[in-house]
Each structure stands twice: as structure tokens, then as C-alpha cells.
Amino acid sequence: MAHVVDIGAFKVGRGQPPFLIAGPCVIENEQLVLDTAGRIAEIARALGMPYVFKSSYDKANRTSIHSFRGPGIKKGLEVLAKVKREVGVAVLTDVHTESDATEAGTVVDVLQIPAFLCRQTDLLIAAAKTGKVVNVKKGQFLSPPEMGNAVKKLEECGNARIVLTERGSSFGYNNLVVDMRSFPILRSFGYPVVFDATHSVQLPGGGGTKSSGQREFVEPLACAAAGAGVDGFFMEVHPDPDHALSDGPNMVPLHQLKALLERVMRICDAANPAK
């Protein structure tokens, strides 16, 4: 059974237009978040793409203990609430503990389970019990079929508002590989499938005390995923990635986003003419 999931004022899933999850990796400051969210929302509206703003209040899995993590949950949720109110879009953030899931669920529209935590049963249960949409990122260490176990954990808690996101598989040596077979496998569980085009080009720990990335490969991978058939795209976007405080090397520069999405949307239309 193919589920269509409500996010804010729109639906995602089979038969629906491709949607976009995008924003800076981490909340650096309120003004940058509001400005970036507003600009991405304008681009998404022009292209007819439903849009969910994404940014993290805490990056708990940074490579170095000295890396910037974000403003924390209290200030971060205040900023995300302001994005919802002033920009008028749904918002998503990732959560790392059961208490965070409960608290963030009072503000955001989508709770995201980080790839490294996708097998954490208690975290999945806490997220499911909020009743919010739960976007589970496939662990870099899992085969696509294993994600069925995460789906069952959420379903057993009575939550069928599920989205699954592919972000590449790790074979060590600071690299990730995207297997296009993953998309139809993940879709077989009956829920919308998203491609994380920016974390898939990350080079985890490739910068020694931080991750590196190859943003020049975001477009070809996103185009391939569009052709393979996905329901949405996740892209971390920043107005000045080279000076971003987290994940700069793999983020899409804001000024390049519109042209990238235009190409991706053309491929989606060709691959799914019924949409």
C-alpha cells in the first residue's frame, strides 16, 4: 500500500509533485536562517515545489569536540517557530534523544532521525508518539531492505506519517556511495522516499578534524535520483558555504539552487509523466 503523507498544507508521496527539504545545515544565527528560508521559499514557489525548511539546533555528531554544534534546543526551536510564522513554511529538524523528540515535536512539522541513530528504538518510539511526520535517514551502515525494521517500529507505535531518506552507504576511507537500487527498495515499504543529495557527497571525516565534501557531484546524483523515481529532495543550502560553520563543502550555494532544481524537475517530469 502506497501512503500519501500530509506535511503542513501539502501532501507527499506517489502521484504528488516532488517536494523539497532545504536549508542551512545548522542554525548559525536567526537572520541567516530567516533570509535563507525566505529565498528558498520563493524559489520553490516559482517552481511549484512544496517546501519544508530544514536546519539543526544541535549537530551532536560533529567530527571534532571543538566543532560548532548550534544554539541548542531552546533557542533553536524559537528560531524554527519564527521561520514557520514569518516565512509560512513547514519546518524540520533532527533530534538525538527521546526528550528532544518530545520537545521539538511541539514546534516542528517533521522530526528527522539522523542516519547514525536510525536503529535507536527508543528514539523512534518517542518521535512516533509525537504524531508528527518522522523522516528516517537510512544509516550509512545499513542495506536498503533493513530500513523495513525502522518502518515497523514507527508503525507499531501507531504512526504512519513516515518518510524515508537515502543518504549513501559507507565503505570506509571517508567516502559514500549511492546505490540507485535503494530507491525502489525503500519505496516498496509504501512510504515517500527522499534523496539527500548533499550528505551523499560528504566525505565523512575527510578534513581530518571535520568532514569534507564534493558539492560538484550534487547535481549529477540528484538528476540520477530524479530519473530513478523519488518523491522529494533533501539539500542543505547556504548563501556562503565556504564560510559555513558546518558541512560547507557539500552544501549547495544559494545562488545555484534555482538552476539545479529546474534541471531536476525536468527529469522528474520526464520520468513520471503522470504527475
Side-chain angles (χ1 to χ4, degrees):
M1 176 182 176
H3 295 265
V4 173
V5 176
D6 294 310
I7 301 179
F10 59 87
K11 300 178 183 296
V12 302
R14 298 190 192 186
Q16 306 301 316
F19 75 106
L20 176 67
I21 300 170
C25 175
V26 67
I27 297 172
E28 297 181 15
N29 62 71
E30 182 178 293
Q31 195 59 53
L32 181 141
V33 164
L34 288 169
D35 290 347
T36 305
R39 181 62 188 126
I40 298 174
E42 291 174 1
I43 293 169
R45 278 194 298 269
L47 298 176
M49 290 187 81
Y51 171 49
V52 179
F53 175 78
K54 181 271 171 185
S55 200
S56 301
Y57 57 78
D58 180 21
K59 299 298 292 183
N61 62 346
R62 296 302 303 276
T63 304
S64 169
I65 195 171
H66 301 295
S67 297
F68 179 75
R69 290 181 52 165
I73 189 167
K74 184 177 185 296
K75 176 60 178 176
L77 291 179
E78 289 174 0
V79 173
L80 292 171
K82 195 166 186 178
V83 170
K84 283 186 67 170
R85 187 169 61 248
E86 296 191 5
V87 183
V89 295
V91 297
L92 172 154
T93 196
D94 36 19
V95 292
H96 302 87
T97 68
E98 298 96 281
S99 60
D100 278 7
T102 301
E103 187 172 353
T106 65
V107 174
V108 305
D109 301 276
V110 184
L111 294 171
Q112 181 166 279
I113 307 299
F116 284 126
L117 301 178
C118 68
R119 290 185 55 168
Q120 296 298 107
T121 301
D122 290 342
L123 179 59
L124 288 164
I125 290 172
K129 287 183 175 179
T130 67
K132 295 300 178 79
V133 177
V134 182
N135 178 34
V136 187
K137 286 197 165 183
K138 181 179 75 63
Q140 303 92 322
F141 47 86
L142 290 184
S143 65
E146 291 176 88
M147 281 294 282
N149 296 317
V151 168
K152 288 177 183 176
K153 290 175 183 179
L154 295 171
E155 290 177 333
E156 287 292 321
C157 295
N159 191 331
R161 304 184 71 198
I162 301 168
V163 176
L164 303 176
T165 294
E166 170 61 73
R167 59 141 303 156
S169 297
S170 175
F171 291 88
Y173 299 98
N174 312 113
N175 209 346
L176 296 165
V177 176
V178 180
D179 181 355
M180 292 294 153
R181 295 173 297 181
S182 179
F183 300 119
I185 294 171
L186 293 179
R187 261 192 161 186
S188 72
F189 300 124
Y191 294 97
V193 173
V194 169
F195 175 50
D196 182 343
T198 48
H199 284 104
S200 290
V201 301
Q202 190 180 65
L203 302 176
T209 58
K210 60 183 179 181
S211 291
S212 186
Q214 298 172 311
R215 74 169 72 105
E216 66 269 25
F217 296 125
V218 169
E219 184 167 334
L221 284 177
C223 289
V230 294
D231 302 293
F233 297 88
F234 179 112
M235 298 181 185
E236 289 189 329
V237 178
H238 194 285
D240 186 10
D242 291 336
H243 293 94
L245 299 182
S246 176
D247 275 8
N250 52 267
M251 280 200 281
V252 174
L254 180 56
H255 72 275
Q256 295 179 6
L257 180 64
K258 187 171 187 290
L260 168 58
L261 291 177
E262 286 174 337
R263 185 178 180 199
V264 167
M265 289 290 282
R266 288 196 299 271
I267 296 171
C268 286
D269 289 342
N272 303 282
K275 283 190 176 182

